[in-house]
Amino acid sequence: MSVPGINVSNILKDHPELGLKLIAGENGLQNRIHSSEINRPGLSLTGFYESFAHDRIQIFGKGEWAYITSKEGEDMEKLAADFFHFHLNCIIFTHGNVPPPIFVEYCDRLNIPLLGSDVSTHKFITLISQILDRSLAPRTMRHGVLIEVFGIGILLSGKSGVGKSETALELIERGHRLVADDMVEIRRLSESYLIGTCSDLLRHHMEIRGLGILNIKDIFGIGSVRDHKLIELIIHLEEWTDEKEFDRTGLENRTEEVLGVNIPLIKLPVRPGRNIPIIVETAAMNQRLKKLGKNAAAEFSQKLNIYLQQGKVERNPPQN
């Protein structure tokens, strides 16, 4: 698991919705942001720097701007000296407010990007928090195929050559949608769910042995692909062996931990003659029912126990 950073330059160039413009500190645009939280330094500007979150993006809203512009002379110089004593990675003024000249001087000298935006503080914080949450989410790469089946994001895993891509291809032909083939990038956007996506290079492409690389969007249309999907089920394809026992009742609640999140897991045996795509479709519909609180295996087990208690089922039926 890795927690990547994001350059200030990426925030400036790739997100026009923030309305950012560079005011000073151009040489610091490669500064890395590693925290998805932001900081409004109002309390610190008054001189209280205990627990000052200097490693976060510093947002100056109307209140912070009004306070610093009320200072003059030595008071302003002391305020700036104390504030810039800390290592800062980025400062942003919202509402179109203009930073005081001494802030511009410090930022140019210390290579701290100083940015301005006409967007209101509340809206700006909402937008940049969403951007940072996506960009800095813990992530990992998994070998497999991510496909949406009846609205359920299913990660097909298994050894190379077991039939993951072929299964996904038939599911796509049946109207379901591909998210990623071969390498799936997984991000944890909260404590309870994972989002799977694909790199820009591999997006919408699939490798089929004997055919090579296919562009699924070009062959099946735009409705056959999507860029990301919540991962709700992992189906691990395994070659069938008589020596191994597979679940036959559905009462085993297996899970697999990915980035600290437990995802329901099904181990599905594969052998010639089994229609794996139909089984995957059925697993998706069954998972959807489980989300609604309906568990067929558990209900059957409960009914069977009642029948046994009432003596309606022979515990040891006679052998023919």
Side-chain angles (χ1 to χ4, degrees), residues 57-68:
I57 293 178
Q58 306 297 315
I59 304 291
F60 281 70
K62 279 186 176 180
E64 290 83 2
W65 179 80
Y67 181 79
I68 62 175

Side-chain angles (χ1 to χ4, degrees), residues 171-299:
L171 288 167
I172 293 166
E173 195 275 334
R174 296 168 67 93
H176 305 293
R177 298 198 282 179
L178 174 72
V179 181
D181 179 57
D182 191 36
M183 294 304 297
V184 182
E185 181 181 292
I186 301 174
R187 301 183 185 186
R188 190 188 73 201
L189 296 185
S190 81
E191 297 303 316
S192 58
Y193 71 90
L194 306 173
I195 291 290
T197 186
C198 187
S199 68
D200 291 335
L201 178 62
L202 299 176
R203 183 166 290 126
H204 305 159
H205 289 80
M206 175 179 283
E207 178 196 353
I208 300 294
R209 284 176 173 80
L211 290 181
I213 305 298
L214 305 178
N215 189 312
I216 298 301
K217 185 179 72 171
D218 290 347
I219 295 175
F220 295 97
I222 188 66
S224 65
V225 296
R226 62 175 302 164
D227 291 338
H228 59 270
K229 180 62 183 173
L230 177 69
I231 300 176
E232 299 177 76
L233 179 63
I234 298 174
I235 297 181
H236 185 74
L237 303 181
E238 297 185 8
E239 294 182 359
W240 187 298
T241 61
D242 294 333
E243 292 77 20
K244 186 169 184 179
E245 277 290 326
F246 292 95
D247 186 13
R248 299 185 63 182
T249 63
L251 291 174
E252 296 183 39
N253 293 317
R254 292 178 175 173
T255 61
E256 182 173 339
E257 183 179 318
V258 181
L259 295 175
V261 179
N262 289 320
I263 304 296
L265 170 68
I266 295 174
K267 292 188 177 182
L268 192 61
V270 177
R271 70 175 179 182
R274 294 202 92 197
N275 194 324
I276 301 301
I278 287 181
I279 298 176
V280 172
E281 284 183 328
T282 305
M285 290 187 286
N286 194 47
Q287 182 64 25
R288 192 164 59 181
L289 285 175
K290 286 183 178 180
K291 289 174 59 181
L292 297 174
K294 189 174 182 63
N295 189 319
E299 290 176 2

Side-chain angles (χ1 to χ4, degrees), residues 49-62:
Y49 282 97
E50 186 175 342
S51 301
F52 175 41
H54 62 87
D55 57 335
R56 303 174 185 174
I57 293 178
Q58 306 297 315
I59 304 291
F60 281 70
K62 279 186 176 180

Side-chain angles (χ1 to χ4, degrees), residues 92-104:
I92 300 174
F93 280 73
T94 59
H95 284 284
N97 292 323
V98 179
I102 194 169
F103 270 61
V104 176

